[in-house]
Amino acid sequence: VAKRAGKAQWRRYQPSLHTPMLQQQQLRADLEQAIADEEFTLHFQPLVELGSGITLGMEALVRWQHPQRGMVPPDQFIPLAEETGLIVPLGLWVLEQGLAAAVTWRDLRPERPPYVSVNVSARQFRTTGFADEVMERLTAAGLPPSGLLLEITESMLLRDDEQAWTHLATLREHGIRVAIDDFGTGYSSLSYLRQVSVDVVKIDKSFVDGLGNENPHQNALVEGIVKLAQTLDLGVVAEGIEEPGDHAALHAMGCPYGQGYLFSRPLPGEDAERWFRENRAAAPLTPLTR
Ligand code: C2E
Ligand code: MG
Ligand code: MG
Ligand code: MG
């Protein structure tokens, strides 16, 4: 017993364990203040038609400009925001700002109106009235349902949650498209595609990275996902395209859409506007032939 207590004591004072915990607690406290202090901003990453290079829409990605720490990446604060429930107000803020941006882009390119793609946490889908809130915001912004796409994760679909499923169905009945994000990283990816109706599958970047190296197994796997999605009448977006070789391989296997640093990193709001204003969205790439 004494030995165990001694060990616990020793652990408590070990700085490498102690410090990150304090930091987490501090970050959590800061997060609550951050919404009020307007420390969040959105960046936008183009979603591209792989054959033509045309930008069809942009994904909204939240950024936290922390007064002391600088830019805190979403992977560090989204999980905290989900735990504390702050993701609900933060998510609504992201939605409103994203819709406002889409309104601007559509004025800049009315002939092919761009949409905004917004990441939504499972926690938001479990909130009462979530579908109504989304529809209200959409109407208030003056956008048609085609102006918004919602990204959910596999983990959300695996939950047995009546409320979330109802919200999902309602939103889709209103014509809002839904994408499964990070497809392939969860663990029952294929079975639920039978039951769940979504519109788009976003293949996770871990599958896309290195496609240009023509590893036969990886390429067969991704091609299989693309074909499966198309058989089910789903749109397919490949995430994390960094190399021209990845792009060419995806195009060759018939993947219609993509996103990645090759086309553009996520852009601050003004740069996203410029992207449409200067028509860089029209064809930033040499079109590929199949
Ligand atoms: P995600 O939705 O899968 O977004 C794609 C992430 O990959 C983004 O990271 C993006 O910057 C990054 N990315 C894009 N192209 C490339 C590429 O070519 N190579 C590499 N290595 N990375 C690329 P980011 O912005 O750090 O966001 C990370 C995650 O945080 C997002 O993954 C999403 O799950 C979450 N997130 C971001 N914004 C929001 C939000 O407003 N709400 C919620 N619930 N989650 C968000
Ligand atoms: Mg996403
Ligand atoms: Mg994600
Ligand atoms: Mg993703």
Side-chain angles (χ1 to χ4, degrees):
V1 174
K3 205 174 173 189
R4 245 194 242 154
K7 224 174 180 177
Q9 200 92 10
W10 173 80
R11 281 181 127 231
R12 195 172 306 149
Y13 291 106
Q14 230 222 350
S16 64
L17 285 175
H18 197 55
T19 316
M21 261 222 288
L22 260 186
Q23 280 182 0
Q24 283 280 97
Q25 275 169 19
Q26 190 56 49
L27 212 56
R28 194 181 297 239
D30 291 352
L31 196 57
E32 295 190 21
Q33 196 55 42
I35 295 186
D37 292 351
E38 298 178 14
E39 290 168 9
F40 294 105
T41 173
L42 290 186
H43 282 194
F44 299 97
Q45 187 179 38
L47 280 137
V48 170
E49 191 171 65
L50 292 181
S52 65
I54 293 174
T55 298
L56 300 180
M58 298 246 187
E59 178 175 1
L61 294 157
V62 69
R63 300 286 178 260
W64 181 11
Q65 189 61 52
H66 190 285
Q68 282 91 42
R69 282 165 213 251
M71 204 67 103
V72 184
D75 291 336
Q76 277 180 32
F77 67 87
I78 293 287
L80 270 183
E82 284 169 349
E83 271 171 47
T84 55
L86 276 170
I87 193 67
V88 173
L90 177 59
L92 273 181
W93 180 87
V94 169
L95 177 68
E96 285 170 0
Q97 300 294 309
L99 291 172
V103 168
T104 310
W105 306 334
R106 289 162 91 92
D107 287 341
L108 293 167
R109 202 185 67 187
E111 67 280 9
R112 197 162 177 180
Y115 62 87
V116 67
S117 202
V118 172
N119 293 283
V120 182
S121 292
R123 179 90 184 231
Q124 293 175 262
F125 263 91
R126 274 185 275 138
T127 322
T128 314
F130 176 67
D132 292 339
E133 268 174 341
V134 172
M135 292 315 298
E136 264 170 39
R137 296 319 196 269
L138 189 76
T139 310
L143 277 181
S146 58
L148 176 65
L149 193 144
L150 298 178
E151 300 190 9
I152 61 176
T153 56
E154 289 177 322
S155 59
M156 192 199 112
L157 295 172
L158 293 176
R159 286 164 187 274
D160 190 17
D161 187 326
E162 203 59 44
Q163 174 125 283
W165 291 84
T166 307
H167 285 319
L168 188 68
T170 306
L171 288 164
R172 290 194 69 248
E173 274 161 27
H174 281 104
I176 292 180
R177 286 169 304 156
V178 174
I180 302 180
D181 204 356
D182 307 334
F183 186 79
T185 57
Y187 65 99
S188 75
S189 313
L190 300 180
S191 65
Y192 66 63
L193 280 184
R194 251 183 320 144
Q195 316 145 29
V196 180
S197 18
V198 293
D199 305 274
V200 176
V201 160
K202 296 187 77 173
I203 303 175
D204 190 67
K205 52 180 172 285
S206 57
F207 297 101
V208 171
D209 183 29
L211 277 180
N213 305 335
E214 290 175 43
N215 169 332
H217 286 101
Q218 187 187 351
N219 286 53
L221 179 64
V222 175
E223 184 162 7
I225 298 174
V226 170
K227 295 267 147 40
L228 173 74
Q230 288 178 331
T231 304
L232 296 171
D233 250 337
L234 301 173
V236 197
V237 178
E239 297 188 291
I241 305 174
E242 295 181 355
E243 303 293 333
D246 301 343
H247 178 207
L250 284 160
H251 186 65
M253 60 179 75
C255 180
Y257 311 112
Q259 220 178 335
Y261 294 168
L262 177 67
F263 311 119
S264 172
R265 291 196 172 246
L267 303 165
E270 321 86 78
D271 294 349
E273 280 179 30
R274 194 170 309 130
W275 186 265
F276 288 110
R277 184 173 298 121
E278 294 175 357
N279 218 21
R280 302 244 293 288
L285 319 156
T286 316
L288 296 166
T289 45
R290 235 196 257 180

